[in-house]
Amino acid sequence: MRPSLPGRSRSRSATLTPTARVLRLRRRISLLFALTSAVGLIAMAVLAVRSDSGRWREQLDHTMDADTSWALGLLETDEEGRLVLDVLADSVDTACPPLTVLLVDGDDRGALTVEHAPAKPCLTVSRAVVLEAGRAAVRADGARASDGRTTDGEPVRVFAQPFYAPEAADGEAPQGVLVTVADATAQRDDHRRLVWLVTGGCAVLVLLSAAVGHVLSGRAVRPALAALDRQEAFLADAAHDLRTPAASLRTLAETALRGETDSADVHRRTLRLAEGMGRLVDGLLTRARLVSGTATVVRQPLRLDQLVEAVVDEAPTEGHRVRVEAEDAVVVADPELVRRAVGNLLDNALAHGHAPGAPADVLITVGRDGTLTVEDAGPGLPPEVAGALFERFRSGSGSTGLGLSIASWVAHAHGGTLTAGRGERGGARFVLRLPVLG
């Protein structure tokens, strides 16, 4: 034995990624579903085949039992109790099925002699088959049926019925046996076709079951795969967005250690970087909660115009021009989520809606229909990112794009929309639409 093999198996399992493990679980679920269905179908098929096999044999046995019962009525005895076969011989020589009369030789139940056999039987079987069927009926002291073959190899059913002398007492050995044969070719062919039909049907159903199981298992593991994708996306976001400010902090610290800059300037720059990293981490966590569904949407009547004015008052707009033109608008939305979406749209306009070194000129309008428009007078939207503006890392201006992606998610979570285009003043124009009350 090689004890290292289990360890190798565990090592290979440990190297699988979470996604690969989920996909492997899906394959196992599909296989288990297919095997379970196969076991059930095979069991039902076996029962059906056995039932049909017994049914056609019972039908032939019933027919041959009626034939032997009819033949027993043709047996006669003379005044001395000897068996007279004249009437029976005349019938079996001219009719089908063939009937053979066997007599028990003395007290030995296994010793049988052929008293009469049809001269021209419609089915020819060997004498050994007839004698064996007769012995089985004598030993059992009752009718017995078995499968056999003609001399040409065709399948037949052999039936043996013992008969007794008129004055026989209970327990006395039978006087003889009537043996008849029935053709089973048609029944055997029908049974064989049924076997092939059931086998093919089972194979098709097992394949169909495997396909259905694969689809169902895919739906079952889809939430797990989605959760893993969200986790990987969050880690990618965090790694991507924190790399630049972390590198800036390190560079700033190395510069301060060398004494190449004023300590007050270092503190100010450190504070700005820390505030930026805080906003970045908050955005990452917010987006992760929104995408994962842990942040629930609490819908309630909300004055959109008042919320926008409060957001503008709290925003750091020094050195920029921000105007608000608002009509009374009551929407049904989550106040915290809408506040973040509006704040992100305003921050985006203040950060990117102006030329380098020039102040931003932002116009915010609120309509009674629950429409919020944020328009700036900047350079406008880059054509290369216009189609994927609300995806993370796609702002096109050196930022993460998380703010716009969160705003878009908030809009869709409330059944609204967020669109972007070119404004009348040549800059970017974002339109957020939320459902109104009533």
Side-chain angles (χ1 to χ4, degrees):
M1 297 181 63
R2 300 178 62 183
S4 60
L5 290 179
R8 292 182 181 178
S9 178
R10 288 193 298 268
S11 177
R12 285 194 298 268
S13 178
T15 58
L16 293 177
T17 64
T19 301
R21 292 181 183 179
V22 173
L23 293 177
R24 184 177 64 177
L25 176 62
R26 179 190 182 185
R27 291 192 294 269
R28 290 181 176 180
I29 293 175
S30 303
L31 180 60
L32 180 61
F33 191 87
L35 288 177
T36 303
S37 302
V39 170
L41 290 172
I42 290 174
M44 294 179 61
V46 170
L47 290 176
V49 170
R50 288 186 176 181
S51 176
D52 182 74
S53 178
R55 180 187 57 79
W56 69 261
R57 285 179 171 85
E58 289 177 359
Q59 291 177 348
L60 287 180
D61 294 347
H62 180 73
T63 301
M64 290 187 293
D65 184 33
D67 292 337
T68 55
S69 298
W70 164 78
L72 287 176
L74 301 179
L75 294 176
E76 298 178 350
T77 56
D78 57 15
E79 296 179 354
E80 298 179 358
R82 290 176 301 193
L83 194 63
V84 179
L85 302 177
D86 295 341
V87 177
L88 178 63
D90 292 339
S91 300
V92 299
D93 283 341
T94 58
C96 192
L99 287 168
T100 302
V101 180
L102 305 178
L103 294 181
V104 178
D105 189 5
D107 296 332
D108 186 3
R109 294 194 176 194
L112 297 177
T113 59
V114 178
E115 183 67 18
H116 178 81
K120 297 179 180 180
C122 56
L123 294 171
T124 304
V125 295
S126 66
R127 176 168 294 190
V129 172
V130 175
L131 292 175
E132 181 58 31
R135 293 189 189 98
V138 171
R139 286 193 299 266
D141 205 10
R144 281 294 180 269
S146 60
D147 293 326
R149 293 280 179 177
T150 65
T151 54
D152 297 330
E154 297 297 327
V156 293
R157 189 72 174 165
V158 183
F159 186 85
Q161 175 69 55
F163 59 88
Y164 300 83
E167 67 279 2
D170 294 341
E172 187 174 345
Q175 185 179 9
V177 184
L178 277 177
V179 180
T180 185
V181 180
D183 186 9
T185 303
Q187 289 81 356
R188 185 67 61 87
D189 292 342
D190 290 341
H191 179 69
R192 190 170 298 169
R193 282 192 293 269
L194 175 66
V195 171
W196 281 109
L197 179 63
V198 170
T199 302
C202 285
V204 172
L205 290 176
V206 168
L207 293 176
L208 180 62
S209 175
V212 172
H214 188 68
V215 173
L216 294 179
S217 63
R219 293 185 178 181
V221 303
R222 190 176 301 167
L225 291 174
L228 289 174
D229 290 341
R230 289 193 297 266
Q231 178 183 358
E232 293 179 0
F234 174 78
L235 294 176
D237 290 348
H240 179 275
D241 296 337
L242 294 177
R243 185 180 297 113
T244 299
S248 299
L249 277 176
R250 180 175 180 177
T251 302
L252 185 60
E254 292 175 349
T255 302
L257 288 175
R258 290 194 299 266
E260 298 176 0
T261 184
D262 182 65
S263 60
D265 183 56
V266 170
H267 292 161
R268 285 192 298 270
R269 292 169 62 184
T270 302
L271 180 60
R272 287 197 300 270
L273 284 173
E275 290 175 349
M277 291 182 68
R279 290 192 297 270
L280 178 59
V281 171
D282 185 51
L284 287 171
L285 293 177
T286 299
R287 182 183 180 278
R289 288 194 296 268
L290 294 177
V291 174
S292 64
T294 56
T296 57
V297 179
V298 181
R299 291 178 173 84
Q300 62 185 46
L302 172 67
R303 284 287 299 270
L304 182 60
D305 55 312
Q306 294 178 357
L307 183 143
V308 170
E309 292 174 352
V311 170
V312 173
D313 291 339
E314 297 172 359
T317 59
E318 292 82 1
H320 301 289
R321 183 185 181 190
V322 179
R323 292 174 294 158
V324 178
E325 297 178 1
E327 297 179 330
D328 295 345
V330 181
V331 297
V332 181
D334 187 310
E336 293 300 325
L337 295 180
V338 174
R339 178 183 295 272
R340 178 169 288 277
V342 174
N344 290 346
L345 293 175
L346 178 57
D347 291 342
N348 180 76
L350 294 176
H352 311 298
H354 59 90
D361 184 4
V362 181
L363 174 62
I364 301 177
T365 59
V366 179
R368 295 182 181 275
D369 58 352
T371 300
L372 167 70
T373 303
V374 180
E375 183 177 350
D376 59 60
L381 298 175
E384 64 272 13
V385 300
L389 191 63
F390 302 121
E391 299 178 7
R392 67 185 195 277
F393 310 144
R394 298 302 297 271
S395 70
S397 303
S399 67
T400 65
L402 284 174
L404 294 180
S405 103
I406 291 175
S408 176
W409 189 95
V410 171
H412 288 91
H414 290 86
T417 59
L418 176 61
T419 57
R422 186 177 181 84
E424 296 179 355
R425 296 182 293 172
R429 182 182 184 185
F430 293 88
V431 180
L432 172 65
R433 292 181 175 84
L434 297 173
V436 297
L437 180 64

